[in-house]
Amino acid sequence: MAEATVEMNELNFAGDDRVVPFQVEGLDVRGRAVQLGPLLNSILGRHDYPAPVARLLAEAIVLTALLGTSLKFDGKFTVQTKGDGPVDLLVADFSTPDSLRAYARYDEDALAAAVAEGKTSPPELLGAGVLAFTIDHGHGMQPYQGIVPLDGSSLEEIAGVYFRQSEQIPTKVRLGVAELLDRDAEGRPRHNWRAGGLVAQFLPQAPERMRQPDLHGGDGDEREHDQSDDDAWSEARVMVETIDTDELTDPQVPIERLLFRLFHERGVRVYKPQTVVDRCSCSREKIKGVLDGFSAEEISASEQEGEIAVTCEFCSTTYRYAVEEFAAA
């Protein structure tokens, strides 16, 4: 029986905050794509980050959503940067099956100076340092961590290097963030964030087709690194590179429609989307478990007016404990 033809306007689009797996059989490419709206607003609005910091953290959140939802087991996937720039720390993690959280740490004075000088690109804000991808299987197993340097490239470029070095999989990543201003039902100005992203990977059946040229050898190494690229992967990579931020973040362009625009001539197939939600893994019990390990001196140093208050850096929830709750006191 021939497959039924489905027009794009008949599809039940995934919508915001749902990661869409896809496959382009004609190019031996698989990937995932997403548009984030309410989830992103919730996370960024909770901390009221300055716009340059919010944009940077939004990229990390999109990257985490794309990669974390690919886990095939119960566990956690974390993206973390540590650098010497004004934004010295970004952390975003995804816990199966659907929980995502994130926060950023920055130096207000250094950030203000960078903004005044117009130095607000991701490499300028992050500085020199490392980007770490951590996969935690839980159950007492040792986490796996891949680390790549923050070398003046964008997060999407660094992610591609990670996959090439650690996973030996040709990968192309696109990330986009938009700051939208509109009005609510009562006509008051309203600020919204949107972000989108796509990761495409070359996974042919013949392993030799995945072979990548060596990484650049440093000064004096002028070799051309794209000469041995497979034609199918070259075509897919060029298509992904044509995506602009407006397309990734436009609420009027569902992610399935964007995939159709890119790959319809090669036959793109989309699969059941996976929802991601703004949910922190902190709890009163978990934090108390940490405090239970404090010495009497540490409990005393943490006490203020007869209680200990701990605020989660991710969700900003404050937990309060009476000093009497701890045996060490």
Side-chain angles (χ1 to χ4, degrees):
M1 180 180 296
E3 293 185 6
T5 300
V6 180
E7 299 296 334
M8 289 299 293
N9 59 9
E10 296 175 359
L11 289 174
N12 182 19
F13 295 125
D16 288 342
D17 303 343
R18 305 186 79 189
V19 179
V20 178
F22 69 90
Q23 180 177 1
V24 187
E25 296 176 352
L27 296 175
D28 291 314
V29 165
R30 294 183 182 181
R32 309 176 81 81
V34 71
Q35 288 181 328
L36 299 180
L39 175 146
L40 193 64
N41 269 323
S42 179
I43 293 177
L44 298 182
R46 184 179 297 126
H47 296 278
D48 193 26
Y49 292 115
V53 179
R55 286 181 176 276
L56 199 56
L57 185 58
E59 288 194 1
I61 292 171
V62 174
L63 185 59
T64 303
L66 289 170
L67 304 184
T69 51
S70 66
L71 294 182
K72 304 301 182 183
F73 52 84
D74 291 337
K76 178 183 290 187
F77 175 80
T78 303
V79 172
Q80 180 173 327
T81 69
K82 288 186 178 181
D84 60 6
V87 183
D88 65 311
L89 180 69
L90 295 175
V91 183
D93 68 45
F94 174 86
S95 296
T96 56
D98 57 9
S99 301
L100 201 153
R101 62 180 189 166
Y103 81 94
R105 187 177 66 197
Y106 62 97
D107 182 294
E108 291 187 9
D109 293 337
L111 178 64
V115 171
E117 296 175 11
K119 297 180 178 179
T120 58
S121 68
E124 291 169 325
L125 292 177
L126 293 173
V130 296
L131 172 63
F133 297 86
T134 305
I135 300 174
D136 187 352
H137 292 74
H139 308 296
M141 297 180 65
Q142 186 72 20
Y144 166 79
Q145 188 173 72
I147 297 176
V148 288
L150 296 173
D151 60 357
S153 302
S154 65
L155 285 182
E156 61 184 33
E157 291 169 333
I158 295 171
V161 171
Y162 162 76
F163 277 100
R164 182 174 170 185
Q165 290 182 339
S166 301
E167 308 294 333
Q168 299 298 305
I169 299 175
T171 302
K172 188 65 181 179
V173 179
R174 283 290 290 117
L175 307 172
V177 180
E179 185 178 9
L180 306 180
L181 297 175
D182 58 11
R183 295 185 180 275
D184 61 20
E186 299 179 2
R188 294 172 299 191
R190 181 175 57 185
H191 177 276
N192 288 298
W193 288 98
R194 289 188 62 80
L198 182 149
V199 56
Q201 297 186 307
F202 185 50
L203 295 167
Q205 292 186 357
E208 63 271 15
R209 291 181 62 205
M210 291 178 58
R211 185 177 63 83
Q212 292 291 282
D214 293 336
L215 294 174
H216 197 287
D219 292 342
D221 187 344
E222 300 298 335
R223 289 173 295 176
E224 175 59 53
H225 300 285
D226 293 330
Q227 288 180 348
S228 62
D229 276 355
D230 187 279
D231 289 343
W233 175 237
S234 295
E235 181 180 338
R237 190 183 65 240
V238 169
M239 288 180 178
V240 173
E241 289 172 348
T242 65
I243 306 171
D244 61 32
T245 296
D246 289 343
E247 289 180 298
L248 282 172
T249 59
D250 189 343
Q252 303 302 316
V253 183
I255 204 66
E256 294 91 342
R257 190 176 297 279
L258 175 58
L259 290 170
F260 182 77
R261 286 181 180 178
L262 290 174
F263 301 118
H264 68 279
E265 292 184 354
R266 288 293 193 166
V268 59
R269 185 191 304 269
V270 297
Y271 298 92
K272 183 179 179 180
Q274 181 172 347
T275 300
V276 289
V277 298
D278 169 26
R279 182 185 295 124
C280 190
S281 59
C282 73
S283 70
R284 181 177 180 82
E285 291 73 23
K286 286 183 179 180
I287 294 177
K288 186 177 186 302
V290 174
L291 294 175
D292 281 337
F294 281 23
S295 66
E297 291 77 13
E298 289 171 324
I299 291 293
S300 178
S302 303
E303 177 266 334
Q304 289 187 344
E305 298 182 357
E307 69 175 15
I308 297 175
V310 179
T311 300
C312 176
E313 292 178 304
F314 286 96
C315 66
S316 298
T317 299
T318 298
Y319 298 92
R320 301 181 184 279
Y321 307 85
V323 174
E324 293 77 14
E325 294 184 51
F326 304 100

